[in-house]
């Protein structure tokens, strides 16, 4: 495989300038860890779903949509910013139309890749440039484990899922609330939840764009957790937010506030239209993706107008619905094609690309697995740089599953290993081993094998490779059974990551102060 | 997607010359069928696992293996043929060494693609040229369904699996005995089994290379079933055989007899080394594939010496073993990389490529599904033209599963749909639909959707997209439950395909005569 896989390197300032005092102290204090695998990176070119001409036709269709139909921006300031940028803002409605030149003018402003900082610098992730970062499940209203069944999201399960995210190396980013901690009052939920995410893990995190207060609080807590100045924060993206358009062709106020605040702080916007073909978008994949593309480009214009160069990720989430019932479907052939096509568009615009590990299954059966791997196939071969819902997503996002999180993490580990370049050299070509063993021999005992067999292959957590008889004697466990046992084992072995006590104190004080102030409005 | 997908076209003689009288009559008599989907064809370039230089290093390593170490050919005639071709045949052993020039000289002789004929010409499949043909599971000693459990293969289950292959459109080829009909005496098993395969289905078939008599009988029965002359058979490949080397670096007598007889008759040899890394091949993937490649090339030399231009498929089956137990593993990251790499080598030699849908799971759980889809991912993106074990393979090939066959067929249908090129034109870009619906609207009711929704998306057989409550009220069925119901429904609805009574009679007479002659020796 031809692109060198390396531990991500900062492309900006030298390392010595990158971290404040606390960052350095924290790093120095961190306990020695087992060598962590480098971030996965695509070792081959992403796969194209359409020709260059067809891609251009989709691009042009999107520009026509934005020029002729326009989009509704349900936010006064956003419309004012866009008017100032030269968009055609209807004074009597929320409609904004963009001339082609305006859209084209912002393409190329955002970085093609950047580092997403975690409070533990060893957990930083690159977004873009062939790198892939695996995010956890996020934003499910319900949570399930096999024993406890399916139930509304709550803080205890939320915390346990965050702990599981921390324990599973294949999960790189806590990409939102793995389940909604709905027992926390909406006005202060984001404060407690972000506090949990910033203390129970040291991986990069997501903050929700649900009105100005919440996203501003999220940005500030990410800054405090890293122990850095506002200036440094603005140089170093340290939190990301998912912006979903209310497709078709509409962005609502809480989301637009998020785009504006995140761009102002130079933090990461991932604009992901929710374009289910046949429901919120045309029933044809080309049309649904053209609409997805129009909505993403509109968000790009706003973000790059607020702050040219603000990190921006192109999100693709186009899937189809079950036309018998209207239910959303995931991991379908149409989803896979959309995932490839979204990646082509993102690359055309020089933007990192977000896709997802999605499935519509209600239980952890073969369907959950095949829909997930088909989603991964489309996402990875499409060149996704940020994989949302990478571990734990079930039922079209209506519940997070503890067992699925472990199973997905195992599958993500396999994907990462698949992306690790094959080594082809004299040693791996093993001519001497073949000479030693010869025709009709066996390789297990030879020196070449003995020197390597312990680490030669990826060792999955769940796959049961025992022979049938042994497996049956062990009670015929399924992958679901094994995942259930493993998630409990992982939680039992969980250790909270080190944190500078001063940082933890400052975070807690911030939460207390903002709670005393009443938190965030709940009438958005 | 850029390569046109089309119904396969014969590249040789005009269609009117292709079939004998019986073939034409059979076609005329065939009941009208629902339009069958065209054979899948890769709409993008296959993915490369290594650079051109690395590929060359593997090729050179394979040539060194064949030149220095050589291979054991356990067959007198095969050694004589190779000696005549210029190979270095050790008179005191079974060892044959090949100089580099000899190997290089046969590369390019075999066709890059060809049509594999079925007795029903509508079922013909192209092998090569970007086309993908999905074969059934083959050669499992055991068979299982959920209710009956796992049991030794037998003719009744064999016949039912063949019927299921016929019923499932996504299965293109009956790629061997879906399970071994072990209750048939070994001397006449091939006769009854081939009779079943040629009457219960009208899809292309495989015959086993288990000594001269069996493969010669298989070739003759394929000829009779098509109602064609020997001359026409030699122009039109009508049966294929899998040749497994006894890795490392050994080809046994029954297999070598198969290579010789199939090449003489211009029928299809699929040479597939059984190179499990760490057991029958080096523990490193590059080394295991270098050995695979050496073994495949040695087979190519023999086949192309016997008959230059005989159709030959490059088979890749390299996987790893579980280094804790020695058990074979499938659908692993190492398997995926090997699948990509095998495709690169096949293309280097201008040969169609065979890979597999393999898994090691003991039951139809999430593991069975994820290992299978990972295998498919490697095979399809690696450019496989013949997918062996496409439907029904379980437990590393130790049992065939009725339920898995249906589940796999559903997954193969999804893969085929994924490979169907996206349409990008004015109609699919749907600008008018977006204009009609506008921001904030819904697409379900619009004319563009209404005209297309019934056929817009792939409709899976198994995926359960009902909402959680409805699904739970229905008894919380898993994919396994649904596959179990479906396989029974499909078998109940099975209809034997039309056959010219004269052909059926000739087949039966052949079987009776060969049985009267004692069938085939059982001491190979």
């Amino acid at each position: 495989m031809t692109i060198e896989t390396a531990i991500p390197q900062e492309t900006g300032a030298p390392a010595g300038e990158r971290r404040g005092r606390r960052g350095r102290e924290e790093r120095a204090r961190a306990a020695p860890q087992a060598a962590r695998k480098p971030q996965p990176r695509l070792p081959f070119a992403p796969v194209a779903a359409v020709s260059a001409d067809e891609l251009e036709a989709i691009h042009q269709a999107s520009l026509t949509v934005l020029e002729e139909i326009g989009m509704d921006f349900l936010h006064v300031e956003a419309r004012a910013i866009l008017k100032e940028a030269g968009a055609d803002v209807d004074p009597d409605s929320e409609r904004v139309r963009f001339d082609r030149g305006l859209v084209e003018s912002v393409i190329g402003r955002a970085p093609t890749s950047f580092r997403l900082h975690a409070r533990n610098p060893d957990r930083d992730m690159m977004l873009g440039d062939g790198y892939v970062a695996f995010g956890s499940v996020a934003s499910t209203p319900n949570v399930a484990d096999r024993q406890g069944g399916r139930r509304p999201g709550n803080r205890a399960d939320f915390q346990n899922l965050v702990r599981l995210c921390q324990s599973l190396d294949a999960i790189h980013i806590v990409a939102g609330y793995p389940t909604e901690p709905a027992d926390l009052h909406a006005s202060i939920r984001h404060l407690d939840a972000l506090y949990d995410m910033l203390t129970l893990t040291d991986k990069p995190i997501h903050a929700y764009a649900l009105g100005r207060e919440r996203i501003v609080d999220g940005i500030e807590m990410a800054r405090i957790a890293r122990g850095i100045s506002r200036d440094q924060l603005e140089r170093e993206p340290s939190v990301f937010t998912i912006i979903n358009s209310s497709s078709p062709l509409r962005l609502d106020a809480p989301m637009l506030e998020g785009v504006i605040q995140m761009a102002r702080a130079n933090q990461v916007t991932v604009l992901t239209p929710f374009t289910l073909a046949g429901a919120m978008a045309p029933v044809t994949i080309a049309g649904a993706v053209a609409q997805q593309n129009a909505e993403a480009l509109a968000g790009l214009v706003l973000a790059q107008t607020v702050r040219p160069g603000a990190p921006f990720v192109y999100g693709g989430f186009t899937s189809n619905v079950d036309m018998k019932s209207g239910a959303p479907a995931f991991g379908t052939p149409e989803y896979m094609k959309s995932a490839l096509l979204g990646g082509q568009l993102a690359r055309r615009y020089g933007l990192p690309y977000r896709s997802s590990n999605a499935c519509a299954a209600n239980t952890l059966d073969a369907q959950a697995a095949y829909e997930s791997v088909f989603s991964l196939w489309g996402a990875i071969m499409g060149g996704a740089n940020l994989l949302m819902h990478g571990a734990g997503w079930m039922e079209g996002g209506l519940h997070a599953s503890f067992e699925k999180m472990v199973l997905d993490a195992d599958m993500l580990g396999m994907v990462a290993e698949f992306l690790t370049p094959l080594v082809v050299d004299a040693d791996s070509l093993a001519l001497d081993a073949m000479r030693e063993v010869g025709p009709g021999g066996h390789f297990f005992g030879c020196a070449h094998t003995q020197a390597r067999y312990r680490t030669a292959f990826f060792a999955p957590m769940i796959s049961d490779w025992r022979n049938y008889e042994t497996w049956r004697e062990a009670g015929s466990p399924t992958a679901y059974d094994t995942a259930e046992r493993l998630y409990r084992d992982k939680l039992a072995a969980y250790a909270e990551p080190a944190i500078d006590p001063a940082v933890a104190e400052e975070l807690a004080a911030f939460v207390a102060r903002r709670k005393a102030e009443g938190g965030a409005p709940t009438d958005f």
Side-chain angles (χ1 to χ4, degrees), chain A:
Chain A
M1 301 190 180
T2 50
I3 297 177
E4 186 191 3
T5 293
I7 296 171
Q9 295 300 319
E10 182 79 17
T11 49
E17 293 172 35
R18 290 209 319 268
R19 324 257 168 230
R21 181 182 53 82
R22 281 178 181 151
R24 280 196 301 277
E25 285 175 4
E26 184 187 329
R27 190 204 289 246
R29 243 192 344 272
Q33 300 194 350
R36 203 170 287 138
K37 291 188 173 160
Q39 184 177 357
R41 195 175 187 190
L42 208 61
F44 29 67
V47 171
V50 300
S51 69
D53 286 351
E54 290 168 332
L55 195 72
E56 186 61 19
I58 294 170
H59 170 66
Q60 292 299 334
S62 305
L63 295 186
T64 300
V65 167
L66 291 175
E67 195 165 62
E68 285 185 24
I69 308 172
M71 275 182 66
D72 284 351
F73 281 71
L74 312 187
H75 190 268
V76 173
E77 189 186 1
R79 291 199 298 277
I81 292 167
L82 291 169
K83 186 170 162 57
E84 179 70 21
D88 173 16
V89 178
D90 182 348
D92 299 324
S93 75
E94 290 148 331
R95 190 67 48 92
V96 180
R97 294 180 177 82
F98 301 78
D99 104 9
R100 306 173 105 76
L102 173 59
V103 178
E104 297 275 15
S105 74
V106 303
I107 294 170
R109 281 190 194 170
T112 57
S113 70
F114 54 87
R115 178 183 288 255
L116 176 64
H117 292 261
R119 73 168 172 87
N120 174 354
D122 290 340
R123 302 285 197 181
D124 291 356
M125 283 288 133
M126 292 297 290
L127 295 186
D129 198 20
Y131 287 105
V132 194
F134 299 139
S136 66
V137 59
S139 313
T140 64
N142 301 292
V143 62
D145 69 345
R146 199 182 207 176
Q147 194 177 312
R150 181 174 174 273
R151 51 199 181 263
N154 59 79
R155 191 182 190 181
D157 285 322
F158 162 85
Q159 289 178 323
N160 278 333
L161 286 168
V162 171
R163 291 184 182 106
L164 206 48
C165 288
Q166 175 68 10
S167 304
L168 293 162
D169 283 343
I171 299 176
H172 301 137
I173 296 177
V174 183
Y177 308 159
T179 192
E180 192 72 21
D183 49 345
L184 293 170
H185 189 270
S187 62
I188 53 90
R189 184 180 303 162
H190 68 292
L191 297 165
D192 285 334
L194 284 164
Y195 180 84
D196 288 346
M197 289 164 74
L198 288 166
T199 52
L200 299 178
T201 84
D202 58 0
K203 299 183 179 182
I205 65 149
H206 166 279
Y208 284 91
L210 292 170
R212 182 185 307 241
E213 292 77 6
R214 287 182 182 80
I215 195 67
V216 167
D217 286 345
I219 295 167
E220 178 63 5
M221 290 177 74
R223 185 195 66 74
I224 295 169
R226 288 194 58 218
I228 59 173
S229 67
R230 174 77 188 196
D231 277 357
Q232 191 175 347
L233 180 83
E234 293 200 14
R235 289 196 306 275
E236 298 180 352
S238 304
V239 62
F240 79 103
T241 197
I242 298 287
I243 301 295
N244 290 132
S245 44
S246 304
S247 306
L249 300 174
R250 201 170 46 170
L251 275 157
D252 67 17
M255 290 286 167
L256 286 166
E257 190 67 42
V259 176
I260 294 168
Q261 296 301 331
M262 290 290 274
R264 281 196 181 131
N266 203 38
Q267 301 303 302
V268 185
T269 291
V270 181
L271 206 142
T272 311
F274 191 35
T275 36
L276 287 177
M280 297 89 100
V283 74
T284 45
I285 294 302
V289 173
Q291 184 188 306
Q292 162 190 299
N293 196 49
E295 297 178 9
L297 288 174
L300 181 70
V301 172
L302 178 62
Q304 298 304 310
T305 301
V306 171
R307 181 167 179 151
F312 188 94
V313 175
Y314 182 106
F317 198 72
T318 298
S319 193
N320 55 304
V321 296
D322 174 7
M323 294 310 284
K324 290 195 291 280
S325 66
F330 296 99
T332 61
E334 293 78 15
Y335 181 91
M336 295 172 76
K337 292 192 221 190
S338 303
L340 296 187
L341 186 50
Q344 271 187 279
L345 286 160
R347 288 189 295 283
R348 187 195 185 289
Y349 306 130
L351 296 170
Y353 175 48
R354 165 256 159 107
S355 188
S356 308
N357 172 10
C359 76
N362 288 308
T363 188
L364 194 42
D365 62 352
Q367 180 187 341
Y370 69 68
E371 288 182 340
S372 273
V373 187
F374 279 129
S375 292
L376 289 169
W377 182 343
I380 297 297
M381 301 317 285
N385 305 108
L386 171 61
L387 184 82
M388 287 292 295
H389 309 304
W393 214 66
M394 290 288 292
E395 200 197 330
L398 292 179
H399 82 254
S401 155
F402 281 90
E403 292 89 357
K404 178 80 166 8
M405 185 174 275
V406 177
L407 186 112
D408 278 333
D410 211 18
M411 300 201 305
L412 293 177
M414 294 181 216
V415 169
E417 180 61 34
F418 168 57
L419 298 181
T420 305
L422 267 178
V423 177
V424 180
D425 57 15
D427 191 58
S428 64
L429 284 170
L431 281 171
D432 283 343
M434 288 187 255
R435 288 187 185 102
E436 177 184 342
V437 172
H442 200 286
F443 283 83
F444 191 74
C446 80
H448 186 264
T449 303
Q450 287 299 310
R452 288 166 185 78
Y453 80 93
R454 282 181 190 80
T455 57
F457 307 128
F458 178 80
M461 297 186 284
I462 290 177
S463 301
D464 196 325
W465 292 335
R466 289 178 288 188
N467 70 42
Y468 192 86
E469 292 70 23
T470 310
W471 168 79
R472 197 168 47 185
E473 279 161 23
S476 306
T478 65
Y480 200 173
D481 297 320
T482 307
E484 183 182 12
R485 174 173 56 72
L486 282 173
Y487 106 70
R488 294 180 191 283
D489 291 352
K490 294 270 172 197
L491 276 187
Y494 166 81
E496 210 165 294
I499 191 166
D500 183 337
V503 166
E505 199 178 300
E506 193 176 343
L507 276 175
F510 179 85
V511 168
R513 175 170 69 75
R514 291 288 296 117
K515 282 186 176 177
E517 291 169 2
T522 55
D523 60 347
F524 60 88

